[in-house]
Amino acid sequence: MSTEAMSARVGVLIAGLNGASANTMLAGSMGTNDVGARRLGSIIHGAGLGDHGLFADETSFVFGGWDVDGRTAADAATTHGILPVVDESTLERLGEIRPFPAYVGSLDTAEALQGGHTLSLGSAADAVAAVVENIQAFQSANAVDRCVVLYYASPLRRWQQATADLDETRLDELLHELRDVPSGLVYALAAIRANCAFGDLTPNITLEVPAILSAAERYGMPLAGRDLSTGETLLKLILGDMLRRRNLKLQGWYSANILGNADGRILSRPEHRSTKLEDKLSSLPKVLGYSDFDHVVDITYYPPRGDAKESWESVDFLGWLGLPMSMKINWQGRDSVLAAPLALDVVKHLDFALRHGERGLLGYVGAYFKRPLGCDQVPFHEALTNLRKYYLPYYLETPRDE
Amino acid sequence: MSTEAMSARVGVLIAGLNGASANTMLAGSMGTNDVGARRLGSIIHGAGLGDHGLFADETSFVFGGWDVDGRTAADAATTHGILPVVDESTLERLGEIRPFPAYVGSLDTAEALQGGHTLSLGSAADAVAAVVENIQAFQSANAVDRCVVLYYASPLRRWQQATADLDETRLDELLHELRDVPSGLVYALAAIRANCAFGDLTPNITLEVPAILSAAERYGMPLAGRDLSTGETLLKLILGDMLRRRNLKLQGWYSANILGNADGRILSRPEHRSTKLEDKLSSLPKVLGYSDFDHVVDITYYPPRGDAKESWESVDFLGWLGLPMSMKINWQGRDSVLAAPLALDVVKHLDFALRHGERGLLGYVGAYFKRPLGCDQVPFHEALTNLRKYYLPYYLETPRDE
Amino acid sequence: MSTEAMSARVGVLIAGLNGASANTMLAGSMGTNDVGARRLGSIIHGAGLGDHGLFADETSFVFGGWDVDGRTAADAATTHGILPVVDESTLERLGEIRPFPAYVGSLDTAEALQGGHTLSLGSAADAVAAVVENIQAFQSANAVDRCVVLYYASPLRRWQQATADLDETRLDELLHELRDVPSGLVYALAAIRANCAFGDLTPNITLEVPAILSAAERYGMPLAGRDLSTGETLLKLILGDMLRRRNLKLQGWYSANILGNADGRILSRPEHRSTKLEDKLSSLPKVLGYSDFDHVVDITYYPPRGDAKESWESVDFLGWLGLPMSMKINWQGRDSVLAAPLALDVVKHLDFALRHGERGLLGYVGAYFKRPLGCDQVPFHEALTNLRKYYLPYYLETPRDE
Amino acid sequence: MSTEAMSARVGVLIAGLNGASANTMLAGSMGTNDVGARRLGSIIHGAGLGDHGLFADETSFVFGGWDVDGRTAADAATTHGILPVVDESTLERLGEIRPFPAYVGSLDTAEALQGGHTLSLGSAADAVAAVVENIQAFQSANAVDRCVVLYYASPLRRWQQATADLDETRLDELLHELRDVPSGLVYALAAIRANCAFGDLTPNITLEVPAILSAAERYGMPLAGRDLSTGETLLKLILGDMLRRRNLKLQGWYSANILGNADGRILSRPEHRSTKLEDKLSSLPKVLGYSDFDHVVDITYYPPRGDAKESWESVDFLGWLGLPMSMKINWQGRDSVLAAPLALDVVKHLDFALRHGERGLLGYVGAYFKRPLGCDQVPFHEALTNLRKYYLPYYLETPRDE
């Protein structure tokens, strides 16, 4: 198995290829030979699952995807400037990666709507067909063995369409009727129909739509999502769990988030942040077991911060005899740097699932997501236990190195 | 069993009875009828162990103890002023509690050495005998069924005496030879010989001395310790665990602690804080699995803070590709208020152990301590699992309420 | 002069009498005999102007006013609970203070609109007449020598009416035509016509309306405003000034404000906070001399905070060679407690002006306001110098104590 | 005058040439053509004194000095790595700057004592003579018009010798008797005797010694000191001034400083930080006008921080009626980057003084120092006014650009 995982070439196709997070993932994983540094921030390695030959290595990944920005990945890396230094030979390889034109619907951001590098089509069904063709063209051009598609574009506006009963037949009708559907649906459906695993790293409804789940079931494709848990939400899970176990009553949690990248600009718009806020707000009550506390999350676009995500939290709680105490946390992270190893992990889990015939939502990867689908929201250490349990039979049978 | 626990009167004798923490525990548990408020901050309730009738209730506790300050507990409560309001009838009951004179050796603080309310004796052996007499007098005066002794005085200076091989025989010789031994040893030995359980809530070496462990074994007495984990150390365990599981490399952790109570004044003296610092520094490497990071803890006496413990932490770590990030935490707690429900819990565990014939160090209560004795240092949630596992057979057999 | 100031009874009539800030000012100044404690937070004393007998003493103030909450000031004090202890005799005196019914227009808050204790009238002109009558009734009932009216109700919505050319004639026409005008205008006009000085402690347009300025001129009444500078804005002035003098380039300033009182609830609504934000945002560019930086202010209602105003600021600046640095400030203040001594100071300045025939906007009290009217916005220490300069001739002629 | 200042070559000789701060000053001022970026952080420019041609330009500075580290300034720059990028041509020029061997006495740090690149001498008088020779050699090799010597080595231990009555005769005797005197004295005396201005940028007693002051008087040399005020102390002056003017009573100020450079390592040793702490502690009482508050300053060596100086401050104060409030400040600065433009300014002031015949301590440059000598400690804005006043006659006569 180890050999199979290692020797295969895995295609990784990303919707939003030239965004800060995806681009950082490409530039970093293609540009570093320092294995130890590349393992930092990876849950696979944090959970002790990295040394058993279970997973494909990121050096075997072949990257491609879609973007409204049609420049090469090298140009994008230069613009974002997130990694301190990208060497010449890496830039050269990044220069060879150019995105396909992106499907953009009216729920996308104003910036995306104005982007020049887009598909122009009669209906959304045409877009699905075009994306399937892109994938097949990529596969044959790059001789990849298996393929994972990630949705990593900006958070969409809410869709007015009710989706709770949207089955495949009705979705197909809609795709033919409409020009504008949520772009996540287009990529997910195309991925599944092109026999690719699909992961949603953003706060969108895609993986709640029945049509997508049943298509994945039918095609035997694995799904994972949603919204990578890079920092703040994880902190809430961890500290919320601590409060519960110490029987300290949470009275309120205020979070101010300041971001200077495109993500910040878009999330500062109420119409694009509603799903994100829902995801952020949903975790604490589940971990605490009650919801009678004030929970406020502000997200503000603040250009001086760049890609460095900063947050300030005030955690107010009651101790013995109801006496109030408080904890303030100032988180100074780097969004794309925290996200990259998690996104690479997700590709590896999806690729493993492809190889082992798993289909539908992978509940055991819940530790990666703000809003884990296919499983309950549980404290982080329990989510990791679930992950390790899933892989237990596989690494038990791994032959030891000698 | 429930009936037994509830109906019994449990004596709680505290060395350091008039200190801020012990006094707050008395005033709060005697003065509140609000059961919910009294449960806040208790791990017994956080772990879901509180509703099975396993434990004696704090309303059945009868308090007494020793202090260099000979005033009543009511006078001490007025001086400390930690609880917002203590009503008249509680003050009256506190007014009836007056400490026995304390044993003070040369390792105690300068303040204690100058305290007027002290035993004056020929040798430390006399002190042990006097403390045993105190306990017996307390027991017959108050008709208590069982008795727990807590050491809750200020952290001592280091003892020059090597203790690794100090067995009971040699300890008894020393007690006869010397006037000055660590006061923790005197109280521990007297407690055991008077058939009391003993808990050490402070950073002292008492429960590492072989003579104490073997005496507890011989007399069948349970022990628990050491150094209550009220806030900062717990945070380190929790966040250290998170870093490890996310494979984020800790580069350094700086902690500034400012305290305005007697504890702060005493811990600001290097000779009294060495064991405390050891306990504080020992937890992180165990949870992380490595120790190549800078770990600095400053403890500073800052009178404006009073009993409100404040700390500021800078947690510096490396993420993907070795890129540095940081988290700053400003903890605004209340020392005695955080400690009181934990101290009451420890009494309940020791009392349970007495009733069930447990002897020696209770490893399953490690979740309460900075430096858990009788068990390994593990992440907090694992320590809680160990606690629950121990009690599992007992609460499974609890008859359900009908 | 000193004698005159001291012996006189000064009426202080407040629109918003039962709000947290006004009520705290009443309860505190009526309830404390500790002169030193009452001087804390006063700029009059900070500027060394307090010991020359220039100003009336707050013990000579007689309080009254208007509110939609018709309860006594004692009931309001009990609800707000901002001061730790208010003794019985003070509560008794507060129990005798009951507000007149308030004028409420459609620009007031939803809460005010629903308040029961309001004037019901045909037109806004009737409201002005009613307020004038209230003032006269108060004056004759309390035998006050002079009277100051303060506007201290919640920030209003924006008025659609253009006000730049609104002279007295046109305003009077409007008052007869309309039922709903900004309540600040009603109180200001009534105050001036009843020969009272008028101060606006809130972020409203009242003192920018030409009709009000010319009425004050004609009646010879002094005005002061607007929006008390209690904490955060002052900090911005002070630190902005420091950056300018050190030639450190401000790149961005982010402020998150969390408040749990009625002010917080109302300012969290965009329609009520626009003038407040304008005032908060206007000061920095003036002090720095440039405006090419990102300045974002979030105001969030967060109930656990109560009247304790908390803010977190990230101040990002460039030093030598353009290298970025940052300063984070966590302000833990108490809104009403910071405001009360400033509001009392403003009354004293207005009363002094009344006695000395000053009319119109008092530019020399700019140090008190977020948006000083009648003067330029200057660094805080310059504003204090201006204040001292104005009073210089008066305190130079003060006879020295012997 | 402008022409004279501009055309002259000014020698800048630094004791501690290869330290982080001095080296950063060299690398930055030699490596940047961006005039605007070079002006950032300069008080000369903040005070509006930079555009009148009064001062020599740093491009006319010729650098040299002494260090126990005998490598070139290019090698030192590479080790320190404080400036993000130093280009090749600058590195080449830095490669030509190599320090003279340093005088090291027993009061210097252990590191300095072990440094290889030191003078080995019979007595301290020999050291003075050697330093004079170094200066003369430097002057003739570089054809400089005037010369400024800066002391910028690590803070020294306390000298046991009483210095209050140490006149030149007695100092000369001591220099002949002893091998070990504070190195600051050696450099100061040599500078003065070689007709150089002298500035002390560190917390040492040099400029309090009568012999140095009288020598400067006799030789007609200007002096400036001591201990550059780069960040935290300035903040204390600024905020202390605000508290005083608002009549808010300071109750306590706690500062934790964490530094990862050599300065941090040395200041973490009590014997090297006593003068520094005195300087840091002395400013607040002077600005506030009282000293009944708790003032604690911790300085801790914390390697992960590098040259980025971080501090956390808790400022606790009482407002109206004695109610407590607090402000927390987290300063994230860069020591050498904040210091460099100030050090360059000091050179310019000393050079101006040389040209204009000023001698002894320059009281008007107090704004630059934690412990200003030759003047009173006043609020920062007053210190700037003093600076501007001094230069007023000179820039008034500056011909305007046409």
Side-chain angles (χ1 to χ4, degrees), chain D residues 63-178:
Chain D
F63 292 100
W66 302 263
D67 210 291
V68 293
D69 169 0
R71 296 177 304 159
T72 68
D75 289 341
T78 310
T79 309
H80 293 307
I82 291 167
L83 297 180
V85 180
V86 179
D87 64 33
E88 274 309 308
S89 90
T90 307
L91 274 180
E92 216 163 279
R93 290 163 64 207
L94 290 170
E96 288 158 19
I97 301 177
R98 195 180 284 277
F100 296 112
Y103 168 73
V104 171
S106 63
L107 304 174
D108 277 281
T109 61
E111 291 85 347
L113 287 165
Q114 291 156 12
H117 193 58
T118 51
L119 287 169
S120 81
L121 302 153
S123 74
D126 298 343
V128 175
V131 171
V132 169
E133 268 173 52
N134 293 159
I135 296 174
Q136 289 164 344
F138 175 86
Q139 285 172 322
S140 56
N142 291 286
V144 295
D145 296 80
R146 291 175 303 279
C147 221
V148 172
V149 173
L150 297 178
Y151 188 81
Y152 218 171
S154 297
L156 301 171
R157 284 195 187 80
R158 283 260 174 210
W159 202 18
Q160 296 309 323
Q161 187 76 36
T163 56
D165 302 318
L166 198 60
D167 62 18
E168 276 189 80
T169 316
R170 180 66 195 126
L171 176 57
D172 264 326
E173 287 168 17
L174 274 178
L175 294 171
H176 281 97
E177 282 166 27
L178 300 173

Side-chain angles (χ1 to χ4, degrees), chain C residues 58-329:
Chain C
E58 58 266 38
T59 54
S60 76
F61 290 179
V62 185
F63 292 101
W66 302 264
D67 209 292
V68 294
D69 170 359
R71 295 177 303 158
T72 67
D75 290 341
T78 309
T79 309
H80 293 306
I82 290 167
L83 297 180
V85 180
V86 180
D87 63 35
E88 275 309 308
S89 90
T90 306
L91 274 180
E92 217 164 279
R93 291 162 64 205
L94 290 170
E96 289 159 19
I97 300 176
R98 195 181 284 278
F100 297 112
Y103 168 73
V104 169
S106 63
L107 304 174
D108 278 280
T109 61
E111 290 85 346
L113 287 164
Q114 292 157 13
H117 193 57
T118 51
L119 288 170
S120 84
L121 302 153
S123 74
D126 297 343
V128 174
V131 170
V132 168
E133 267 173 52
N134 293 158
I135 295 174
Q136 289 164 344
F138 175 85
Q139 284 172 323
S140 57
N142 291 286
V144 297
D145 297 81
R146 291 174 306 278
C147 222
V148 172
V149 172
L150 297 179
Y151 189 82
Y152 217 171
S154 297
L156 301 171
R157 286 195 185 81
R158 282 261 173 209
W159 202 19
Q160 297 309 323
Q161 187 75 36
T163 56
D165 303 318
L166 198 60
D167 61 19
E168 276 187 80
T169 316
R170 180 67 196 124
L171 176 57
D172 263 326
E173 287 168 16
L174 274 178
L175 293 171
H176 281 95
E177 282 166 28
L178 302 173
R179 159 75 190 77
D180 284 325
V181 303
S183 48
L185 285 179
V186 168
Y187 288 104
L189 200 61
I192 292 166
R193 291 183 178 171
N195 291 302
C196 301
F198 178 82
D200 189 356
L201 310 185
T202 68
N204 284 311
I205 53 147
T206 312
L207 294 183
E208 289 178 321
V209 174
I212 299 299
L213 301 179
S214 70
E217 215 44 61
R218 241 167 15 90
Y219 282 80
M221 288 299 118
L223 306 172
R226 83 177 186 224
D227 206 359
L228 283 183
S229 174
T230 52
E232 199 211 16
T233 306
L234 177 57
L235 212 60
K236 285 190 174 167
L237 286 176
I238 296 279
L239 294 175
D241 188 51
M242 175 184 97
L243 292 174
R244 186 179 61 82
R245 286 165 193 273
R246 278 286 292 271
N247 207 35
L248 298 165
K249 171 71 179 65
L250 186 67
Q251 205 188 359
W253 192 311
Y254 171 76
S255 310
N257 296 269
I258 51 180
L259 300 93
N261 55 17
D263 213 34
R265 198 171 62 243
I266 288 150
L267 289 171
S268 71
R269 300 174 194 158
E271 68 275 19
H272 283 283
R273 98 179 138 216
S274 61
T275 308
K276 181 86 171 189
L277 279 183
E278 255 175 45
D279 291 1
K280 272 182 176 280
L281 292 172
S282 68
S283 55
L284 262 179
K286 282 183 192 150
V287 166
L288 288 165
Y290 54 84
S291 57
D292 60 334
F293 57 92
D294 291 289
H295 192 180
V296 186
V297 176
D298 281 341
I299 304 180
T300 301
Y301 177 52
Y302 182 65
R305 201 49 74 242
D307 192 67
K309 154 80 170 296
E310 183 163 355
S311 74
W312 180 76
E313 324 270 326
S314 183
V315 186
D316 298 284
F317 56 95
L318 303 177
W320 199 51
L321 309 184
L323 292 166
M325 293 176 263
S326 189
M327 184 174 15
K328 321 287 179 190
I329 303 169

Side-chain angles (χ1 to χ4, degrees), chain A residues 346-368:
Chain A
V346 168
V347 172
K348 293 173 186 178
H349 291 299
L350 284 167
D351 173 59
F352 185 96
L354 267 182
R355 280 185 278 130
H356 291 77
E358 300 281 351
R359 57 179 67 193
L361 288 168
L362 307 182
Y364 54 87
V365 298
Y368 288 86

Side-chain angles (χ1 to χ4, degrees), chain D residues 21 33 49 94 137 148 158 163 203 274 353 369:
Chain D
S21 292
N33 292 318
L49 296 170
L94 290 170
V148 172
R158 283 260 174 210
T163 56
S274 62
F369 297 107

Side-chain angles (χ1 to χ4, degrees), chain A residues 251-254 256-258 294-296 298 300-305 310-312 314-316 326 328 330 332, chain C residues 251-254 256-258 294-296 298 300-305 310-312 314-316 326 328 330 332:
Chain A
Q251 203 189 0
W253 192 310
Y254 171 76
N257 296 271
I258 51 180
D294 291 289
H295 192 180
V296 186
D298 280 341
T300 301
Y301 177 52
Y302 182 66
R305 201 50 74 241
E310 183 163 355
S311 74
W312 180 77
S314 183
V315 186
D316 297 284
S326 188
K328 322 286 179 188
N330 178 207
Q332 303 181 343
Chain C
Q251 205 188 359
W253 192 311
Y254 171 76
N257 296 269
I258 51 180
D294 291 289
H295 192 180
V296 186
D298 281 341
T300 301
Y301 177 52
Y302 182 65
R305 201 49 74 242
E310 183 163 355
S311 74
W312 180 76
S314 183
V315 186
D316 298 284
S326 189
K328 321 287 179 190
N330 177 206
Q332 303 180 343

Side-chain angles (χ1 to χ4, degrees), chain B residues 110-158:
Chain B
E111 291 85 347
L113 286 165
Q114 291 156 14
H117 193 58
T118 50
L119 288 169
S120 83
L121 303 152
S123 74
D126 297 343
V128 175
V131 170
V132 168
E133 268 173 52
N134 294 159
I135 295 173
Q136 288 164 345
F138 174 86
Q139 285 172 323
S140 56
N142 291 284
V144 297
D145 296 80
R146 290 175 305 279
C147 221
V148 172
V149 172
L150 297 179
Y151 189 82
Y152 217 171
S154 298
L156 302 170
R157 286 195 185 81
R158 283 260 173 211

Side-chain angles (χ1 to χ4, degrees), chain B residues 298-365:
Chain B
D298 281 341
I299 303 180
T300 300
Y301 177 52
Y302 182 65
R305 202 48 75 240
D307 191 67
K309 154 79 170 294
E310 184 163 354
S311 74
W312 180 76
E313 323 269 326
S314 183
V315 186
D316 298 284
F317 57 95
L318 303 176
W320 198 51
L321 311 183
L323 290 168
M325 291 176 264
S326 188
M327 184 174 16
K328 322 286 178 189
I329 302 169
N330 177 207
W331 171 267
Q332 303 181 343
R334 297 165 184 256
D335 253 21
S336 301
V337 169
L338 284 164
L342 300 181
L344 290 167
D345 274 13
V346 169
V347 172
K348 293 172 187 178
H349 291 300
L350 284 168
D351 172 60
F352 185 96
L354 266 182
R355 279 185 279 130
H356 292 77
E358 301 282 350
R359 58 180 66 192
L361 289 167
L362 308 181
Y364 54 88
V365 297

Side-chain angles (χ1 to χ4, degrees), chain B residues 251-254 256 258 294 296 298 300-305 310 312 314 316 326 328 330 332, chain D residues 251-254 256 258 294 296 298 300-305 310 312 314 316 326 328 330 332:
Chain B
Q251 202 187 1
W253 191 311
Y254 171 76
I258 52 181
D294 291 289
V296 186
D298 281 341
T300 300
Y301 177 52
Y302 182 65
R305 202 48 75 240
E310 184 163 354
W312 180 76
S314 183
D316 298 284
S326 188
K328 322 286 178 189
N330 177 207
Q332 303 181 343
Chain D
Q251 203 187 2
W253 192 311
Y254 170 76
I258 51 180
D294 291 289
V296 186
D298 280 341
T300 300
Y301 178 52
Y302 182 66
R305 201 49 73 243
E310 184 163 355
W312 180 77
S314 183
D316 297 284
S326 188
K328 323 286 179 189
N330 177 208
Q332 303 182 343

